Amino acid sequence: MCWVFGYIGAPGKAAREVLAGLQRLEYRGYDSAGICVINPDKNLEVIKAVGKVNNLKVKTDSIDFSTYHAGIGHTRWATHGGVTEANCHPHLSQSGRFVVIHNGIIENYAELRDELIAKGYVFHSETDTEVTVHLFEDIFDGDYLSTMTKLVAKMHGAYGLVFLDRDNGNQIFGTKKGSPMVLGFGKTERYISSDYRSLIGLIDDYIILEDGDIFLVTLDNYTILSGWQDADRTRQIVGEDEKVVELGDFPNFMLKEVFEQPRVLEDVFRGRIDFSSNSLHSDTLEHIAMLGIKKVTIVASGTSYHAGLLGKYYLEELSNIPVDVVVSTEFKYKKKFVSSDELYIFVSQSGETIDTLDSLKIVKEQWGHVFGIVNVPGSAIARAAGQGLFTRAGTEVGVASTKAFVTQVACFLFLSLYLGQKNGLDYRKYREIIDSIAKLPEAISSILLSNEAIRKVAEKYANSTNFFYLGRAHELVIAMEGSLKLKELAYIHSEAYSSGELKHGSIALIDSDFPSLMINGGGILSPKNASSAEEIRARGGPVIGIIAKDDPNKQVYADVIEFDPLISELNPFLEVVILQLFAYHIANFLGRDVDKPRNLAKSVTVE
Ligand code: F6R
């Protein structure tokens, strides 16, 4: 998505600070980028570049910014209009006095644009954003906050808008609805950003703006209006343990985050499961358990949706509660039957995914019980849910979700055990799962030791143009997640299927150039998966087995990636790591940017 960054402070620092801020935000959206800086002499410089922020940096190298003290910058994920310099933000008003950056979508932009064109305004881009700056200029009444209230009244949609005025460069002002935005306070500087983590190391404290807030920041003061009133927003201190995420010895964040999975799986259960007494601890879940929940609906998108699908298996099998899982993009517009004995769980790594957030708000408006499984504390979904489990995965920089996924699944497992122990879960099963959870970090570490073997198999198939990912039950969900990783990282078409379902049509696609991965770590369905692999082999299709070391049907597979299994309920944690590495190595082999795959963005704040 698009991301905004603003700075006001010392002369000479604006361009450097804004560019550095954009680089820290870049993983979240990266089609193109632009900055605008101003100085007290009413000079205004706008520089834009298609592609990575580095392209923009190169363009700014020869410019003397020594007098520029304020600036705004933007990384773009195209919604309206192609990836061109003209469509890059910032956008200027007709007179060149006002300048804007925007994250979101102005839904009634076409109508506003027509009105402005009729008044003589000339547009230079195809974006929805440009209307906001012309409109601001058109209705400017000499007061930034007052004009902003009028602008907000005319716009429909989602927005985080940040403006500068060339003629008075001592302030930054704007508004937000639906798009994240924080004000950051350094010792002698003020910042605006879509993500406070881009400000770690620069600020002492920050304010998370709420929907509808209109703000104006100067070096000495700030005003936030909500409606017509001054809003009293809490200034939050940046925690001492919050650090800028470094790559260390890893070549990219994706690999680093894959290798962090043993540790995050310790963190997610810390204080929640006491392995010495086999007891579970959570005041939040105790409260949920007392609600007498009879049904659960899980709402999420993408990888988080896959975590929800595994959550369904755990909740149904261990807690004996029926579960629906709905992608948030669909949930939002479908008929809902909210009842007091139903729990709605919203899953999101970023905590900002607009469809998931909107779905949550709809359920809340109908007085439903909402619960968040979120990675980012302070994010919009975490705040709106008010209760839930943090996944404790730490900042995930790689756009393809890895460590966040396993911790989401871990939260579902914990929730299912917690509700299960109150709902008749068999004690032996409970103990068996707790014992296996204790072994999880080590089991994942040993998968990571097979990285080289996984790379060899992956590279053998790297030039294939299609893949099937197959499995049953829990392992079908892992097939779906593995398939998504391959698509997003390597740009190779793949489909996930129940291995039993393939013969009902799609097996027609199988030939010697169409490999399949069979996710088959053991358990009662394992022989059935092996039979499906036989059927593919009989038609000349190579099958890569993701299998247990002692699998008796090894001979069915053209290639195998073997691992030491845990109990079948927990094998998905191990299998997904293999599939993350499989996709990673193919993508790397093909020269893809694994941290920032094309067309994607780390958090999806537009519909
Ligand atoms: C894929 C991926 C996406 C996200 C999806 C939801 O690797 O990361 O599919 O899972 O965009 O995002 P969150 O979890 O932030 O709500």
Side-chain angles (χ1 to χ4, degrees):
M1 298 304 101
C2 303
W3 297 98
V4 298
F5 194 91
Y7 169 87
I8 180 160
K13 283 183 74 179
R16 194 168 5 116
E17 291 277 340
V18 174
L19 284 165
L22 292 189
Q23 268 185 324
R24 285 191 295 273
L25 286 170
E26 186 178 28
Y27 71 101
R28 294 163 154 265
Y30 36 77
D31 287 344
S32 48
I35 62 167
C36 171
V37 286
I38 53 176
N39 71 10
D41 298 331
K42 303 185 184 175
N43 292 317
L44 177 150
E45 281 280 354
V46 176
I47 306 124
K48 304 178 177 192
V50 166
K52 302 276 161 66
V53 176
N54 218 31
N55 299 354
L56 179 66
K57 257 186 126 176
V58 169
K59 276 190 152 181
T60 59
D61 275 351
S62 55
I63 304 176
D64 175 10
F65 289 115
S66 56
T67 56
Y68 291 81
H69 69 290
I72 53 179
H74 185 267
T75 57
R76 179 163 187 255
W77 186 84
T79 59
H80 294 61
V83 182
T84 62
E85 249 180 52
N87 290 334
C88 269
H89 304 206
H91 294 288
L92 290 168
S93 65
Q94 183 98 320
S95 70
R97 175 174 172 184
F98 297 106
V99 58
V100 75
I101 50 176
H102 169 218
N103 168 22
I105 292 177
I106 308 297
E107 285 171 1
N108 59 334
Y109 85 99
E111 186 189 320
L112 296 172
R113 190 178 160 116
D114 288 348
E115 283 170 22
L116 287 161
I117 289 172
K119 286 183 170 181
Y121 284 85
V122 178
F123 281 76
H124 302 282
S125 76
E126 304 158 278
T127 64
D128 52 331
T129 302
E130 200 182 344
V131 296
T132 65
V133 72
H134 291 315
L135 190 53
F136 188 88
E137 179 159 284
D138 191 57
I139 59 178
F140 186 57
D141 62 12
D143 182 298
Y144 303 105
L145 294 172
S146 153
T147 309
M148 198 62 73
T149 58
K150 293 176 191 158
L151 181 72
V152 164
K154 287 179 178 287
M155 294 183 303
H156 304 309
Y159 42 82
L161 288 166
V162 184
F163 286 81
L164 284 178
D165 176 3
R166 180 199 58 200
D167 292 353
N168 186 352
N170 293 327
Q171 67 244 310
I172 298 183
F173 49 98
T175 182
K176 80 134 239 165
K177 186 181 138 215
S179 303
M181 201 181 288
V182 297
L183 306 185
F185 301 88
K187 299 247 173 323
T188 54
E189 286 134 334
R190 301 290 175 262
Y191 296 87
I192 316 288
S193 178
S194 301
D195 181 355
Y196 93 92
R197 283 167 304 173
S198 69
L199 304 177
I200 292 171
L202 302 172
I203 57 166
D204 300 323
D205 57 353
Y206 60 95
I207 289 175
I208 300 175
L209 294 173
E210 300 292 341
D211 279 353
D213 282 357
I214 289 171
F215 65 89
L216 186 143
V217 193
T218 67
L219 272 185
D220 309 318
N221 212 340
Y222 66 91
T223 309
I224 301 171
L225 291 186
S226 175
W228 293 91
Q229 297 174 6
D230 284 347
D232 186 17
R233 301 272 174 256
T234 316
R235 283 175 76 149
Q236 312 196 29
I237 310 289
V238 179
E240 272 177 22
D241 51 346
E242 299 195 67
K243 306 190 218 54
V244 177
V245 190
E246 306 279 358
L247 251 187
D249 293 334
F250 287 92
N252 48 58
F253 282 103
M254 158 121 197
L255 197 62
K256 176 173 186 265
E257 288 159 5
V258 168
F259 273 74
E260 281 172 2
Q261 291 177 113
R263 181 180 56 73
V264 297
L265 279 169
E266 280 176 6
D267 291 345
V268 69
F269 292 117
R270 183 162 296 124
R272 291 172 173 163
I273 300 182
D274 179 344
F275 292 102
S276 60
S277 61
N278 302 305
S279 53
L280 310 180
H281 303 273
S282 167
D283 292 344
T284 308
L285 296 196
E286 191 54 33
H287 166 69
I288 297 293
M290 282 168 22
L291 295 174
I293 294 299
K294 301 269 182 308
K295 191 186 166 213
V296 169
T297 296
I298 300 169
V299 183
S301 280
T303 287
S304 298
Y305 169 71
H306 295 156
L309 290 174
L310 271 172
K312 173 181 166 76
Y313 276 102
Y314 290 144
L315 280 162
E316 290 187 342
E317 286 167 18
L318 307 178
S319 330
N320 212 22
I321 300 174
V323 180
D324 274 344
V325 194
V326 191
V327 283
S328 45
T329 36
E330 292 298 320
F331 180 85
K332 206 160 141 181
Y333 298 108
K334 85 175 195 52
K335 187 166 170 58
K336 290 153 205 79
F337 302 92
V338 177
S339 72
S340 60
D341 55 6
E342 182 164 5
L343 181 68
Y344 285 86
I345 303 181
F346 298 87
V347 194
S348 176
Q349 186 286 125
S350 62
E352 303 289 350
T353 301
I354 194 79
D355 294 306
T356 310
L357 177 62
D358 287 349
S359 303
L360 187 156
K361 287 180 181 164
I362 294 167
V363 174
K364 251 179 108 170
E365 274 161 20
Q366 298 181 34
W367 302 101
H369 297 298
V370 298
F371 185 93
I373 294 184
V374 176
N375 194 34
V376 181
S379 59
I381 294 174
R383 285 180 287 129
Q387 62 177 353
L389 293 171
F390 284 119
T391 54
R392 304 177 181 167
T395 305
E396 191 177 66
V397 176
V399 164
S401 194
T402 53
K403 62 175 181 169
F405 173 77
V406 296
T407 54
Q408 289 168 341
V409 178
C411 286
F412 275 115
L413 185 56
F414 178 60
L415 173 66
S416 308
L417 285 173
Y418 205 99
L419 299 182
Q421 62 174 354
K422 317 258 179 192
N423 246 5
L425 171 62
D426 177 69
Y427 177 69
R428 278 163 309 175
K429 179 52 81 188
Y430 172 83
R431 279 298 302 269
E432 190 188 29
I433 291 178
I434 301 247
D435 289 347
S436 294
I437 291 176
K439 293 181 194 142
L440 250 186
E442 205 182 313
I444 293 189
S445 296
S446 70
I447 303 270
L448 297 173
L449 289 176
S450 332
N451 185 27
E452 196 45 29
I454 299 169
R455 183 185 65 76
K456 284 197 181 122
V457 179
E459 288 185 359
K460 181 170 165 191
Y461 291 92
N463 290 315
S464 306
T465 47
N466 294 289
F467 281 84
F468 276 133
Y469 278 65
L470 307 169
R472 280 176 160 89
H474 302 74
E475 290 172 322
L476 171 58
V477 179
I478 292 306
M480 293 166 79
E481 175 56 12
S483 164
L484 179 62
K485 291 283 100 73
L486 188 73
K487 280 183 272 208
E488 62 184 326
L489 289 165
Y491 322 149
I492 294 176
H493 172 250
S494 67
E495 281 185 70
Y497 257 92
S498 160
S499 53
E501 191 62 19
L502 201 66
K503 57 185 172 293
H504 296 290
S506 302
I507 201 166
L509 291 168
I510 289 292
D511 63 21
S512 58
D513 294 326
F514 198 129
S516 303
L517 278 90
M518 182 65 74
I519 325 303
N520 194 18
I524 50 168
L525 294 173
S526 184
K528 298 200 181 295
N529 282 331
S531 304
S532 302
E534 282 281 20
E535 290 159 11
I536 297 167
R537 186 163 76 135
R539 285 152 185 88
V543 185
I544 305 158
I546 313 297
I547 57 168
K549 279 193 176 142
D550 58 358
D551 190 317
N553 297 308
K554 215 176 275 186
Q555 80 291 343
V556 177
Y557 303 103
D559 285 281
V560 291
I561 299 173
E562 297 174 284
F563 65 98
D564 289 315
L566 292 166
I567 55 170
S568 61
E569 287 90 343
L570 265 72
N571 282 339
F573 285 94
L574 311 183
E575 292 158 343
V576 79
V577 178
I578 295 173
L579 298 188
Q580 290 164 354
L581 287 170
F582 185 83
Y584 170 83
H585 287 301
I586 292 190
N588 230 3
F589 184 82
L590 297 174
R592 313 292 194 226
D593 182 342
V594 290
D595 280 348
K596 300 187 191 96
R598 71 181 182 201
N599 302 342
L600 301 183
K602 184 63 184 165
S603 80
V604 182
T605 52
V606 294
E607 265 201 73

